[in-house]
Amino acid sequence: MAIRHFLDLDAIAPEELKAILADAHALKKQKFNPPQIFDGLSLAMVFDKKSTRTRMSFEIAMKQLGGHTLVMGMDELQISGAESVADTANVVSRYVDAAMIRMSDHDLLCEFASECSIPVINGMTDESHPCQIMADMLTIEEKLGSAKDKKIAWFGDWNNVSATFAQAAPIFGFNLVLSLPNDLKPKTLGANVTYEEDAMLAAKDADVIVTDTWVSMGQEGKGINKFRPYSVTPALMAQAEEHAIFMHCMPVHENEEVSPEVLASPANVIYDEAENRLHAQKAILAWCLKDAGVSVS
Ligand code: CP
Ligand code: NVA
């Protein structure tokens, strides 16, 4: 039986992802009376980078639904010294029911998962951030109804978050416009993804305006001047639909990728988006733990 790893959106059947989102809506409705579906189950979390939202939302998600958590920094594990990936994966699999890992090296995460006999969740690598995009889909469905046929315009860097939005576009049926410096344009644009170098044109009639830091963790010291035309300003928001929302996975860098006026405007939904990490995570965990007997409904 295939292990229910949550490593990349395009590795999971679209109907499964849509069912996870439906469960996330249902679990959010039970925010104040959470079903104890993780009773007796444990999640290990390992981080090689900082985190506020991923760390807190996974821990609270697990505990609110009756489970246990264990959190470690990557440098605290023997794997950071001499122990092999295979031995670490085998041992972790004997202690806990699932593992959530934030690891820069995507290939190493996949190698670790392939050695595990428990589900492994990608808590963000340098290549993708699938848990974030599930929370973003939940937020878009709440604010705008279905994401299908919506125009989502992304501004700034080509990074782990934008790459995962590109994976999500054909799955959830939205149209993604990438507005980035030309040298960052990806070599291949997948289904439902287009490129527009001019930020004002990219924002035109968009339902969602989304951005992220210009300097992802691990890229400190990189120049940011080429990103300035892609800053989300009131002028850029004015190109979008009247109902358009502003999204950002956070942490936010005011006066860089977004101006304070946009953050102060009613279009800003970033705190709802951050809260939705919690509800999306509950549903992702429930999907991963299905073979351990977990069911949401
Ligand atoms: N959006 C997000 O993943 O935030 P953290 O880095 O704080 O986990
Ligand atoms: N692109 C950012 C996302 C942080 C949640 C980073 O990798 O640092």
Side-chain angles (χ1 to χ4, degrees):
M1 186 169 54
I3 298 168
R4 293 169 172 274
H5 296 309
F6 195 85
L7 298 174
D8 269 309
L9 298 184
D10 61 4
I12 299 170
E15 57 274 19
E16 299 273 333
L17 293 169
K18 289 172 189 165
I20 292 172
L21 268 188
D23 283 349
H25 284 289
L27 287 163
K28 185 166 184 177
K29 288 199 183 85
Q30 298 171 80
K31 182 173 168 178
F32 299 110
N33 56 333
Q36 299 301 289
I37 54 178
F38 298 155
D39 185 26
L41 298 173
S42 299
L43 172 75
M45 294 191 274
V46 180
F47 290 87
D48 76 352
K49 284 178 177 165
K50 289 180 188 174
S51 172
T52 297
R53 282 144 289 270
T54 305
R55 157 94 200 247
M56 292 185 70
S57 57
F58 265 105
E59 180 143 5
I60 301 300
M62 201 63 197
K63 288 183 171 166
Q64 283 186 352
L65 303 190
H68 305 275
T69 56
L70 168 74
V71 190
M72 293 180 82
M74 193 73 76
D75 57 0
E76 294 174 271
L77 293 170
Q78 297 284 13
I79 198 171
S80 63
E83 193 157 35
S84 70
V85 170
D87 278 352
T88 308
N90 275 289
V91 171
V92 170
S93 299
R94 298 293 178 102
Y95 290 137
V96 293
D97 302 285
M100 192 290 300
I101 301 184
R102 172 166 285 189
M103 186 186 262
S104 311
D105 186 335
H106 192 83
D107 293 341
L108 190 58
L109 177 70
C110 294
E111 184 191 338
F112 180 82
S114 73
E115 300 286 353
C116 277
S117 55
I118 54 164
V120 174
I121 299 170
N122 174 358
M124 194 180 89
T125 67
D126 288 347
E127 287 182 28
S128 61
H129 199 356
C131 296
Q132 179 66 52
I133 302 311
M134 290 301 282
D136 291 359
M137 287 300 120
L138 179 61
T139 311
I140 290 166
E141 287 188 357
E142 280 177 349
K143 304 290 178 190
L144 303 174
S146 163
K148 192 162 164 30
D149 297 327
K150 296 286 185 304
K151 176 176 175 181
I152 300 184
W154 171 278
F155 298 89
D157 200 8
W158 173 245
N159 64 11
N160 42 11
V161 179
S162 45
T164 315
F165 261 112
Q167 284 183 16
I171 296 170
F172 295 103
F174 61 84
N175 298 308
L176 179 69
V177 180
L178 297 171
S179 195
L180 330 160
N182 195 268
D183 62 314
L184 294 180
K185 180 184 172 187
K187 280 188 194 72
T188 48
L189 296 169
N192 293 28
V193 183
T194 53
Y195 173 77
E196 173 53 67
E197 187 173 6
D198 184 305
M200 290 296 158
L201 291 180
K204 203 166 161 18
D205 302 328
D207 301 288
V208 178
I209 300 285
V210 57
T211 188
D212 184 15
T213 180
W214 295 335
V215 185
S216 285
M217 287 182 271
Q219 301 179 342
E220 291 76 11
K222 118 191 199 194
I224 57 170
N225 281 341
K226 69 178 177 185
F227 294 110
R228 296 217 182 269
Y230 300 95
S231 185
V232 179
T233 59
L236 189 132
M237 288 298 298
Q239 304 300 312
E241 292 284 353
E242 187 113 12
H243 62 245
I245 55 174
F246 170 73
M247 300 184 73
H248 190 309
C249 64
M250 304 178 82
V252 167
H253 305 82
E254 215 173 281
N255 288 315
E256 290 187 6
E257 71 267 13
V258 59
S259 64
E261 293 84 356
V262 174
L263 292 170
S265 75
N268 180 11
V269 300
I270 64 172
Y271 300 126
D272 292 323
E273 184 182 357
E275 178 186 333
N276 280 339
R277 293 294 305 275
L278 172 64
H279 310 296
Q281 245 86 270
K282 286 178 176 173
I284 291 166
L285 284 162
W287 179 82
C288 290
L289 291 166
K290 231 174 217 172
D291 299 327
V294 170
S295 153
V296 172
S297 46

